Amino acid sequence: MPDASSSHQTSLGRCLCVITGASRGLGRAMAREVCGLMTPGSVLLLVARSGTLLQELKEELRGLTGTAQPAVRCVAVDLSAAGGVNEAVEVARQEAGTDPDHVLLINNAGSLGDISKFSSFSDLNEVNSYLSLNVSSALALTAGMLRVFPSRPGLRWSVVNISSLFAVQALPNWALYCTAKAARKMMFSVLADEEPNVKVLSYSPGPMDTEMQKDIQRLTGIKHHLIPCKEPAAKLMKLLLDNEFTSGSHLDFFTA
Protein backbone atom coordinates (compact mmCIF):
# COMPACT_ATOMS: atom_id res chain seq x y z
CA MET A 1 0.00 0.00 0.00
CA PRO A 2 1.37 3.42 -0.85
CA ASP A 3 2.14 6.02 1.74
CA ALA A 4 -0.98 7.98 2.77
CA SER A 5 0.72 11.36 2.48
CA SER A 6 -0.92 14.40 0.92
CA SER A 7 -1.59 14.23 -2.83
CA HIS A 8 -4.20 16.04 -4.89
CA GLN A 9 -6.63 13.84 -6.82
CA THR A 10 -9.21 14.61 -9.49
CA SER A 11 -11.23 11.43 -8.88
CA LEU A 12 -11.63 8.67 -6.32
CA GLY A 13 -10.13 6.25 -8.82
CA ARG A 14 -11.37 2.72 -9.43
CA CYS A 15 -13.01 2.75 -6.07
CA LEU A 16 -14.95 0.37 -3.91
CA CYS A 17 -16.99 2.67 -1.67
CA VAL A 18 -19.22 1.61 1.21
CA ILE A 19 -21.66 4.16 2.63
CA THR A 20 -23.71 3.23 5.70
CA GLY A 21 -26.96 5.00 6.44
CA ALA A 22 -27.15 5.62 2.69
CA SER A 23 -30.92 5.75 2.23
CA ARG A 24 -31.60 9.21 3.67
CA GLY A 25 -30.12 12.60 4.42
CA LEU A 26 -26.35 12.96 4.31
CA GLY A 27 -25.80 9.34 3.28
CA ARG A 28 -27.99 9.80 0.22
CA ALA A 29 -26.26 13.07 -0.67
CA MET A 30 -22.83 11.47 -0.34
CA ALA A 31 -23.87 8.64 -2.66
CA ARG A 32 -24.70 11.22 -5.34
CA GLU A 33 -21.35 12.96 -4.87
CA VAL A 34 -19.30 9.75 -4.84
CA CYS A 35 -20.88 8.45 -8.06
CA GLY A 36 -19.63 11.41 -10.04
CA LEU A 37 -16.07 10.92 -8.85
CA MET A 38 -15.61 7.22 -9.58
CA THR A 39 -13.77 5.90 -12.61
CA PRO A 40 -14.95 2.89 -14.68
CA GLY A 41 -14.86 -0.44 -12.86
CA SER A 42 -15.88 1.10 -9.52
CA VAL A 43 -18.38 -0.39 -7.08
CA LEU A 44 -20.70 1.47 -4.69
CA LEU A 45 -22.20 -0.44 -1.77
CA LEU A 46 -25.21 1.31 -0.25
CA VAL A 47 -26.01 0.07 3.25
CA ALA A 48 -29.18 0.90 5.21
CA ARG A 49 -32.18 -0.77 6.80
CA SER A 50 -34.73 0.15 4.12
CA GLY A 51 -34.35 -1.91 0.97
CA THR A 52 -37.09 0.12 -0.72
CA LEU A 53 -35.31 3.45 -0.18
CA LEU A 54 -32.01 1.96 -1.30
CA GLN A 55 -33.54 0.73 -4.56
CA GLU A 56 -35.02 4.19 -5.14
CA LEU A 57 -31.59 5.72 -4.65
CA LYS A 58 -30.03 3.17 -7.00
CA GLU A 59 -32.48 4.19 -9.73
CA GLU A 60 -31.77 7.84 -9.09
CA LEU A 61 -28.02 7.28 -9.39
CA ARG A 62 -28.50 5.44 -12.68
CA GLY A 63 -30.14 8.57 -14.07
CA LEU A 64 -27.35 10.81 -12.82
CA THR A 65 -24.38 8.85 -14.13
CA GLY A 66 -25.54 7.25 -17.37
CA THR A 67 -23.06 4.92 -19.06
CA ALA A 68 -20.29 5.76 -16.60
CA GLN A 69 -22.31 4.42 -13.69
CA PRO A 70 -20.40 2.33 -11.16
CA ALA A 71 -21.84 -1.02 -10.18
CA VAL A 72 -24.28 -0.23 -7.37
CA ARG A 73 -25.26 -2.85 -4.81
CA CYS A 74 -27.92 -2.36 -2.15
CA VAL A 75 -27.37 -4.01 1.22
CA ALA A 76 -30.53 -3.81 3.33
CA VAL A 77 -29.41 -4.79 6.84
CA ASP A 78 -29.68 -3.70 10.47
CA LEU A 79 -26.16 -2.78 11.54
CA SER A 80 -27.11 -2.90 15.22
CA ALA A 81 -27.15 -6.72 14.87
CA ALA A 82 -24.09 -8.91 14.28
CA GLY A 83 -25.78 -10.55 11.31
CA GLY A 84 -26.21 -7.18 9.62
CA VAL A 85 -22.56 -6.26 9.97
CA ASN A 86 -21.46 -9.69 8.79
CA GLU A 87 -23.71 -9.51 5.73
CA ALA A 88 -22.37 -6.08 4.75
CA VAL A 89 -18.78 -7.35 5.05
CA GLU A 90 -19.64 -10.46 3.02
CA VAL A 91 -21.11 -8.38 0.20
CA ALA A 92 -17.90 -6.36 0.16
CA ARG A 93 -15.91 -9.60 0.08
CA GLN A 94 -17.81 -10.66 -3.03
CA GLU A 95 -16.58 -7.49 -4.74
CA ALA A 96 -12.92 -7.99 -3.79
CA GLY A 97 -12.27 -9.54 -7.20
CA THR A 98 -12.87 -6.15 -8.85
CA ASP A 99 -9.36 -5.30 -7.61
CA PRO A 100 -10.03 -1.68 -6.61
CA ASP A 101 -7.19 0.79 -6.30
CA HIS A 102 -9.08 2.72 -3.62
CA VAL A 103 -11.27 1.45 -0.77
CA LEU A 104 -13.42 4.15 0.82
CA LEU A 105 -15.57 3.37 3.86
CA ILE A 106 -17.93 6.11 5.06
CA ASN A 107 -19.35 5.28 8.50
CA ASN A 108 -22.47 7.43 8.44
CA ALA A 109 -25.15 5.26 10.08
CA GLY A 110 -26.29 6.50 13.46
CA SER A 111 -29.25 7.62 15.54
CA LEU A 112 -30.17 10.46 17.87
CA GLY A 113 -31.16 8.41 20.88
CA ASP A 114 -33.05 9.54 23.95
CA ILE A 115 -32.50 13.16 25.01
CA SER A 116 -32.93 12.91 28.79
CA LYS A 117 -31.27 13.61 32.10
CA PHE A 118 -28.20 11.50 32.87
CA SER A 119 -30.00 9.82 35.78
CA SER A 120 -32.67 8.41 33.45
CA PHE A 121 -30.29 5.94 31.77
CA SER A 122 -30.51 3.11 34.28
CA ASP A 123 -31.66 0.46 31.78
CA LEU A 124 -28.53 -1.33 30.64
CA ASN A 125 -30.30 -2.93 27.67
CA GLU A 126 -31.37 0.49 26.38
CA VAL A 127 -27.84 1.86 26.65
CA ASN A 128 -26.26 -1.21 25.06
CA SER A 129 -28.76 -1.15 22.19
CA TYR A 130 -27.88 2.45 21.39
CA LEU A 131 -24.14 1.86 21.59
CA SER A 132 -24.44 -1.26 19.44
CA LEU A 133 -25.63 0.75 16.45
CA ASN A 134 -23.70 3.95 17.07
CA VAL A 135 -20.31 2.59 18.20
CA SER A 136 -19.92 -1.18 18.03
CA SER A 137 -21.20 -1.59 14.47
CA ALA A 138 -18.80 1.02 13.10
CA LEU A 139 -15.88 -0.72 14.79
CA ALA A 140 -16.87 -4.21 13.62
CA LEU A 141 -17.66 -3.10 10.07
CA THR A 142 -14.41 -1.20 9.68
CA ALA A 143 -12.37 -4.07 11.12
CA GLY A 144 -14.13 -6.53 8.82
CA MET A 145 -13.46 -4.37 5.77
CA LEU A 146 -9.78 -4.04 6.66
CA ARG A 147 -9.52 -7.83 6.77
CA VAL A 148 -11.26 -8.22 3.40
CA PHE A 149 -8.98 -5.63 1.78
CA PRO A 150 -5.57 -6.01 3.46
CA SER A 151 -2.59 -3.82 2.72
CA ARG A 152 -1.05 -4.28 -0.71
CA PRO A 153 0.99 -2.14 -3.11
CA GLY A 154 -1.17 0.26 -5.10
CA LEU A 155 -4.17 0.21 -2.74
CA ARG A 156 -5.34 3.48 -1.22
CA TRP A 157 -7.46 3.11 1.92
CA SER A 158 -9.74 5.88 3.29
CA VAL A 159 -12.04 5.71 6.32
CA VAL A 160 -14.51 8.46 7.16
CA ASN A 161 -16.31 8.74 10.49
CA ILE A 162 -19.32 11.06 10.32
CA SER A 163 -18.96 12.88 13.59
CA SER A 164 -20.35 15.91 15.40
CA LEU A 165 -19.33 18.94 17.44
CA PHE A 166 -20.62 16.89 20.38
CA ALA A 167 -17.76 14.44 19.99
CA VAL A 168 -15.63 17.12 21.65
CA GLN A 169 -18.20 19.27 23.49
CA ALA A 170 -20.56 18.09 26.24
CA LEU A 171 -24.24 19.05 26.16
CA PRO A 172 -26.67 18.53 29.04
CA ASN A 173 -29.30 15.82 28.40
CA TRP A 174 -27.35 14.41 25.45
CA ALA A 175 -25.38 11.73 27.33
CA LEU A 176 -26.00 8.94 24.80
CA TYR A 177 -25.28 11.00 21.69
CA CYS A 178 -22.19 12.74 23.09
CA THR A 179 -20.81 9.48 24.46
CA ALA A 180 -21.20 7.67 21.14
CA LYS A 181 -19.66 10.47 19.09
CA ALA A 182 -16.73 10.84 21.51
CA ALA A 183 -16.15 7.08 21.51
CA ARG A 184 -16.15 6.96 17.71
CA LYS A 185 -13.73 9.86 17.50
CA MET A 186 -11.25 8.09 19.79
CA MET A 187 -11.82 4.74 18.08
CA PHE A 188 -10.88 6.13 14.68
CA SER A 189 -7.96 8.06 16.17
CA VAL A 190 -6.60 4.71 17.35
CA LEU A 191 -7.06 3.31 13.84
CA ALA A 192 -5.09 6.24 12.39
CA ASP A 193 -2.22 5.57 14.81
CA GLU A 194 -2.24 1.82 14.19
CA GLU A 195 -2.51 1.92 10.40
CA PRO A 196 -0.38 4.74 8.94
CA ASN A 197 -1.35 3.69 5.40
CA VAL A 198 -5.06 4.13 6.11
CA LYS A 199 -6.18 7.76 5.82
CA VAL A 200 -8.74 8.40 8.56
CA LEU A 201 -11.02 11.43 8.88
CA SER A 202 -13.66 12.27 11.46
CA TYR A 203 -15.94 14.82 9.81
CA SER A 204 -18.60 16.95 11.48
CA PRO A 205 -21.11 18.05 8.81
CA GLY A 206 -22.98 20.61 10.93
CA PRO A 207 -26.76 20.91 11.43
CA MET A 208 -28.38 19.59 8.25
CA ASP A 209 -31.90 19.59 6.88
CA THR A 210 -32.72 16.02 7.93
CA GLU A 211 -35.35 14.08 9.84
CA MET A 212 -33.00 14.00 12.82
CA GLN A 213 -32.97 17.79 13.02
CA LYS A 214 -36.77 17.83 12.91
CA ASP A 215 -36.75 15.42 15.86
CA ILE A 216 -34.28 17.64 17.73
CA GLN A 217 -36.49 20.69 17.22
CA ARG A 218 -39.58 18.77 18.32
CA LEU A 219 -37.89 17.41 21.45
CA THR A 220 -35.91 20.47 22.53
CA GLY A 221 -37.55 23.46 20.88
CA ILE A 222 -34.14 24.45 19.52
CA LYS A 223 -34.16 25.54 15.90
CA HIS A 224 -30.90 25.75 13.94
CA HIS A 225 -30.16 27.31 10.59
CA LEU A 226 -30.08 24.10 8.59
CA ILE A 227 -27.66 23.29 5.77
CA PRO A 228 -28.79 21.34 2.68
CA CYS A 229 -27.15 17.89 2.87
CA LYS A 230 -25.49 18.34 -0.51
CA GLU A 231 -23.21 21.08 0.86
CA PRO A 232 -21.42 19.08 3.60
CA ALA A 233 -21.37 16.07 1.25
CA ALA A 234 -19.56 18.11 -1.41
CA LYS A 235 -17.15 19.53 1.20
CA LEU A 236 -16.29 16.02 2.35
CA MET A 237 -15.50 14.92 -1.20
CA LYS A 238 -13.23 17.96 -1.64
CA LEU A 239 -11.38 17.06 1.56
CA LEU A 240 -10.87 13.51 0.31
CA LEU A 241 -9.69 14.66 -3.12
CA ASP A 242 -7.34 17.34 -1.77
CA ASN A 243 -6.03 14.76 0.73
CA GLU A 244 -4.27 17.42 2.81
CA PHE A 245 -5.65 16.56 6.26
CA THR A 246 -3.63 14.69 8.86
CA SER A 247 -4.90 11.14 9.35
CA GLY A 248 -7.01 10.98 12.49
CA SER A 249 -8.10 14.61 12.25
CA HIS A 250 -11.50 15.81 13.42
CA LEU A 251 -12.67 18.48 10.95
CA ASP A 252 -15.82 20.61 10.90
CA PHE A 253 -17.83 21.73 7.86
CA PHE A 254 -17.62 25.38 8.90
CA THR A 255 -13.87 25.52 9.53
CA ALA A 256 -12.30 22.86 7.30
Side-chain angles (χ1 to χ4, degrees), residues 106-124:
I106 303 179
N107 288 286
N108 171 64
S111 61
L112 178 61
D114 191 7
I115 300 176
S116 299
K117 289 288 187 182
F118 194 101
S119 58
S120 68
F121 296 109
S122 57
D123 185 337
L124 186 60

Side-chain angles (χ1 to χ4, degrees), residues 9-256:
Q9 305 286 332
T10 58
S11 77
L12 295 172
R14 191 176 68 257
C15 182
L16 185 141
C17 176
V18 180
I19 303 175
T20 68
S23 62
R24 302 174 185 267
L26 180 62
R28 198 177 186 98
M30 289 188 297
R32 297 187 189 107
E33 293 289 332
V34 165
C35 261
L37 295 170
M38 290 174 147
T39 59
S42 295
V43 179
L44 176 58
L45 270 55
L46 305 172
V47 182
R49 285 177 295 179
S50 173
T52 300
L53 290 177
L54 289 178
Q55 287 295 332
E56 290 175 0
L57 176 56
K58 181 176 180 178
E59 290 302 314
E60 178 186 340
L61 296 176
R62 179 175 293 126
L64 290 174
T65 55
T67 57
Q69 181 189 15
V72 179
R73 296 195 62 179
C74 299
V75 188
V77 294
D78 180 0
L79 290 177
S80 66
V85 173
N86 292 340
E87 184 174 344
V89 171
E90 179 55 32
V91 173
R93 188 189 310 277
Q94 293 168 13
E95 301 296 338
T98 61
D99 195 29
D101 55 36
H102 185 188
V103 176
L104 170 59
L105 171 58
I106 303 179
N107 288 286
N108 171 64
S111 61
L112 178 61
D114 191 7
I115 300 176
S116 299
K117 289 288 187 182
F118 194 101
S119 58
S120 68
F121 296 109
S122 57
D123 185 337
L124 186 60
N125 290 331
E126 177 188 1
V127 174
N128 285 342
S129 176
Y130 182 81
L131 294 178
S132 178
L133 171 62
N134 290 277
V135 180
S136 304
S137 70
L139 172 56
L141 178 63
T142 304
M145 288 288 295
L146 288 167
R147 295 181 70 175
V148 170
F149 297 95
S151 173
R152 62 169 172 77
L155 178 63
R156 178 187 174 196
W157 240 111
S158 305
V159 175
V160 177
N161 164 42
I162 298 302
S163 188
S164 167
L165 171 66
F166 300 127
V168 295
Q169 177 178 309
L171 184 66
N173 301 324
W174 288 59
L176 286 182
Y177 189 82
C178 291
T179 297
K181 291 301 185 183
R184 282 171 61 133
K185 176 181 178 295
M186 179 55 71
M187 179 171 73
F188 287 107
S189 294
V190 170
L191 173 61
D193 282 350
E194 278 191 18
E195 300 286 349
N197 292 317
V198 176
K199 201 72 180 284
V200 181
L201 173 63
S202 286
Y203 176 65
S204 173
M208 297 172 291
D209 188 6
T210 62
E211 291 299 318
M212 181 182 289
Q213 282 296 329
K214 291 177 183 177
D215 289 340
I216 291 171
Q217 183 178 349
R218 175 176 53 82
L219 293 168
T220 67
I222 298 172
K223 186 174 182 179
H224 297 282
H225 174 70
L226 301 181
I227 311 163
C229 292
K230 65 181 181 180
E231 294 183 16
K235 171 65 87 55
L236 174 59
M237 291 306 116
K238 185 178 187 304
L239 289 169
L240 291 173
L241 292 176
D242 289 348
N243 199 26
E244 293 178 338
F245 60 89
T246 301
S247 188
S249 295
H250 188 274
L251 300 181
D252 185 89
F253 169 76
F254 295 104
T255 58

